[in-house]
Structure formats: C-alpha cells, structure tokens
Amino acid sequence: ARLSDSQLETPLSGSRVTLAPSPLRFTGGPVTLRGTTSWNAPGLGDFDFKGSCAKVKVDLPRLLKGTLEKGSFSWARHEDGFLLSGNLDISEGRWLKDFETGEDEPGATYGDFLDRTRFSVRFRGAQNLWLDNNMARCRVDAEATLTGSWPAPTLLGRFTALEGHVLYLDRRFVIEKGSAVFDDATVINPQLDLSAATTLRSYSATGAPQPYAIRFTVSGPLDRMALGLSSDPNLSQADIVSLLTFGATQQEMVTRNPRTGASTGETLLTR
C-alpha cells in the first residue's frame, strides 16, 4: 500500500501525544486514525488508538494482493500487553505464496512492544478470495478471526472452497468439495476435508486407451492429514500412482507391442 495526500496532526503535551482524527490515503482508499499515548520512565503509559478504512488496495508481490472494502480497528492496552482488534470486510483477495516443505524457522522477535501485542481481528470475504499458488487455484469463502500474538499468529474460523482445482502429482483435480476449519487457538493446524476428481486415459502399447475416473481426497488435521486415491474402474493404489505419474498402470508399463517389441514404459520414455 502507498501513503499519499495525507497529513497527521499530533499535538504534544508533556509526555502525552494525541493524534487528532487524521485522514490518510493508502493506494486510493481513505484511512482515518485517532488516539493518544503517553510514556514514562519504564516505557509506554496510556496507549489507545482507533481507525477505519475503506477500499484500500494491498499488493505484496509473491505474497498477496486484494482490496479491503471497509474496516474498523483499535490498538490499545489490554491486561499486561496490548490488543489489536477489529473487523475487516475483504471484497477481493488473492493469496500467492507457494507452499513449501521443510522445518519451521525459529520464531522471530519484533521488540517488546510488538511481542506483547495480541490479535483479535475478524475478517470476512465476499466469495471473491482466491488461493493461487503451486498447490491450487481455487475461489473460497472465508469467515475467520486472526488471534494469537505478533510473533505467533493463529486463526479461528472456516474457509470453504467454491470452485477451482488442486494439483497432485502434477495432475489437475477439479474440486468437488473442500473446507479448512481452524479450531485450535494455539497453533495453525486446520481440519481439512477435500474431494477432487480428474479423468485420464492410460496409454497402452497393445490396445485402445482405457479411460479412468480418479478421485483424490484429503482429510484430518494438517499435521496428520490422510491422502486417498480411488478410481473407476477400480485400480490398486500402486496402479493409480503409476497412472498419474507415467500415464499407464504397472502392468501396462511392461506390456510389449507385438509389432515393435517395445514396452509401454519404453514407448512413454521416448515421447
């Protein structure tokens, strides 16, 4: 977001700073901020800021882009720390970051002030939110709350797939149903429920290609999710993986063409 055509009015009185209602403009959308803070020898004293926004565009390359249709938020002292809370309506959005495997990096620290800030930010999507990365391209409906802390944010809520596809073994599966339910306030570990399907034909060296309907399912918590594959006509799991990977079942891979003497596997390798 870009800040432009904006002015902040901050009267200073002793150890207190007051931010008068100040209209800012971020990438074409108005944002209004107001509040007060004070400080003393140990650090911040009072801290209470509120704001609102409308039609603010966000564009973070390779991460996300979208538009905040409207929203209100506050950042204030809460118990022994601070609380950032609010409500955001997202008219459109696209998550672009690829999913990557590997160990999680150690939690970063952001300084005492941000480390002591907790979240309670509720956001809703207008059925125009997209997951668009190396695993899927699908439109989702979302209603969730960002919770946790600045160093360790978490989510509570539900994301439901409305249309699109997922990729598995480099094959595109059309989503039949899909949801991710975030129900653990201590860690991001959603309950997944996905069913997607594709149709492909096996390559055979001796006869006409055989069509197969393949269904791919995902269920359970993210850290222990169960993957499933089934087919019609029925194939073993090993044959389904072979079909998705090489375009032929295990038996077809070793079957030889009586005219050329080449197996299906050898033929596929030369294509």
Side-chain angles (χ1 to χ4, degrees):
R2 296 193 307 272
L3 178 64
S4 62
D5 302 328
S6 305
Q7 183 175 351
L8 291 175
E9 183 180 344
T10 55
L12 177 62
S13 176
S15 62
R16 177 177 295 274
V17 173
T18 299
L19 178 62
S22 302
L24 311 176
R25 186 164 294 275
F26 281 90
T27 321
V31 177
T32 300
L33 298 174
R34 65 185 184 279
T36 61
T37 185
S38 63
W39 62 91
N40 48 40
L44 284 175
D46 296 336
F47 187 88
D48 186 4
F49 288 88
K50 293 179 172 60
S52 62
C53 62
K55 298 188 182 303
V56 172
K57 294 187 180 296
V58 177
D59 189 353
L60 302 177
R62 297 184 299 277
L63 180 60
L64 65 88
K65 64 187 305 183
T67 301
L68 297 176
E69 184 66 21
K70 62 180 180 179
S72 60
F73 51 89
S74 69
W75 199 349
R77 272 204 169 277
H78 180 73
E79 297 177 348
D80 60 346
F82 306 90
L83 178 66
L84 178 58
S85 61
N87 291 280
L88 301 175
D89 288 343
I90 305 171
S91 59
E92 59 178 346
R94 194 171 294 267
W95 180 263
L96 305 171
K97 183 175 174 59
D98 287 347
F99 289 113
E100 299 174 353
T101 58
E103 296 183 357
D104 293 336
E105 296 180 357
T109 59
Y110 301 89
D112 181 67
F113 173 64
L114 293 183
D115 286 349
R116 293 167 60 200
T117 294
R118 299 193 63 80
F119 296 123
S120 180
V121 180
R122 180 173 173 265
F123 62 89
R124 297 179 299 175
Q127 297 190 352
N128 195 22
L129 304 179
W130 288 82
L131 176 64
D132 191 357
N133 59 16
N134 62 333
M135 294 294 291
R137 187 177 190 274
C138 63
R139 184 168 63 93
V140 301
D141 183 32
E143 185 161 352
T145 301
L146 175 66
T147 62
S149 63
W150 203 289
T154 58
L155 281 173
L156 292 174
R158 182 184 183 92
F159 292 75
T160 303
L162 303 175
E163 63 172 317
H165 67 263
V166 295
L167 298 173
Y168 182 65
L169 295 179
D170 290 331
R171 298 284 184 174
R172 180 181 296 188
F173 289 78
V174 176
I175 295 173
E176 299 174 324
K177 69 169 184 175
S179 65
V181 178
F182 296 78
D183 55 5
D184 190 335
T186 63
V187 66
I188 295 180
N189 189 34
Q191 297 285 335
L192 304 176
D193 182 15
L194 170 72
S195 177
T198 191
T199 301
L200 53 85
R201 294 177 180 271
S202 66
Y203 182 85
S204 173
T206 60
Q210 168 70 49
Y212 289 93
I214 310 294
R215 176 161 285 103
F216 171 57
T217 61
V218 180
S219 60
L222 178 63
D223 62 348
R224 300 189 308 278
M225 62 182 177
L227 306 182
L229 288 168
S230 61
S231 69
D232 184 19
N234 185 55
L235 291 172
S236 69
Q237 293 287 298
D239 272 336
I240 296 175
V241 172
S242 177
L243 184 61
L244 292 171
T245 306
F246 303 111
T249 65
Q250 291 179 309
Q251 181 60 43
E252 289 168 334
M253 289 289 287
V254 298
T255 300
R256 293 188 176 275
N257 186 310
R259 184 173 60 84
T260 65
S263 69
T264 298
E266 291 169 340
T267 302
L268 289 171
L269 288 175
T270 62
R271 294 177 67 185

